[in-house]
Amino acid sequence: MKIAVLPGDGIGTEIVAEAVKVLKALDLPLEMETALVGGAAYEAHGHPLPEATLKLAKEADAVLFGAVGDWKYDKLDRPLRPEQAILGLRKNLGLFANFRPAICYEQLVHASSLKPELVAGLDILIIRELTGDIYFGQPRGRRIATDGHFPGAEEAFDTMRYSRPEIERIAHVAFQAAQKRNKRVTSVDKANVLETFQFWKDVVSEIGLQYPDVALDHMYVDNAAMQLVKEPKRFDVVVTGNMFGDILSDEASMLTGSIGMLPSASLNSSGQGLYEPSHGSAPDIAGKGVANPLATILSAAMMLRFSLNDEASALRIEASVKKVLDQGLRTADIHSAGTTRVSTLEMGDAVVRAL
Ligand code: IPM
Ligand code: MG
């Protein structure tokens, strides 16, 4: 199996190194090739997603991705910003279905900013549509200047747009995921204001008729944001558009104690996938050895499960992560009194030992 390893910027290189270490320890027939992406690729080749990197990703069975972005690129013209690398990969590989599970490990119940009883046993799955919506609407805004700002401009705009097939396919993904879980789907929209999301709601309802064993309800995004912190366990599968999913998945991550714990999988229709932590490049803590590699290690587990069809190895990694948490090992983001603080590298080593 061929894996394209794209560490990217900031803490990306540190956390991906630990996930690669864990994958190597499994001793599977994996061929891993690394390439530059994001700001690192811009520095070296003048583009955040060089042709060679895209080619490597397209030809791989799966992509293991770190994170991209740094404040120092804020002034770059939009097509050259590091974020365009991940958006370009998603679009070029057709990775429309983004799985962002939010699971609260019992060892981390007290690391959440919410009361323990609200998050204990939490296991929800946010399914975010990833290649449509306002992120990819046409036109994608009008650039007046190339320095990242709009001197003299009177307006800027982006368009929100979804087509029927785009909504249908993500709805199928959500209903099928729910069938393997607690058989409930909450579709999040803003149908009270936006045409795009009235259409979304109608199409999801239509597809829902094909899944009579799954209970479907609809929720406005503002209410969903509130319910996520009020009563998060009421949710099972949440399906929503690209923009709302971006925001709600960051919110959901804090229920679990730390965004440093959240893996993600982005799949296309042929099962090829990109696996990345749900968090960003965190330039403020980059290079200090304090980042939590568990989200990336858990993303590698999702990669084994979804793209490489190796459920046993995925479960082994997940069990090892639970074990190191049981041992009381914590990176800075999840550290609390009575636990042992470890570095990024020590956390990776501990997972390998647990394997
Ligand atoms: C995410 C990130 C990206 C997004 C950025 C880096 C483009 O926030 O994966 O959630 O907005 O999708
Ligand atoms: Mg985000």
Side-chain angles (χ1 to χ4, degrees), residues 83 86-87 90 100 128 135 246:
E83 290 83 357
I86 184 66
L87 297 175
R90 289 171 184 170
R100 295 193 166 182
R128 169 187 175 193
Y135 270 61
D246 179 44

Side-chain angles (χ1 to χ4, degrees), residues 10 34 58 121 230 266 343:
T34 303
K58 277 187 168 163
K230 184 176 176 231
S266 307
S343 68

Side-chain angles (χ1 to χ4, degrees), residues 270-305:
S270 47
Q272 198 188 16
L274 180 145
Y275 301 83
E276 58 172 327
S278 288
H279 60 71
S281 55
D284 52 331
I285 59 163
K288 297 186 178 154
V290 298
N292 185 348
L294 293 179
T296 317
I297 291 171
L298 290 166
S299 300
M302 291 183 94
M303 175 173 87
L304 291 166
R305 170 172 297 123

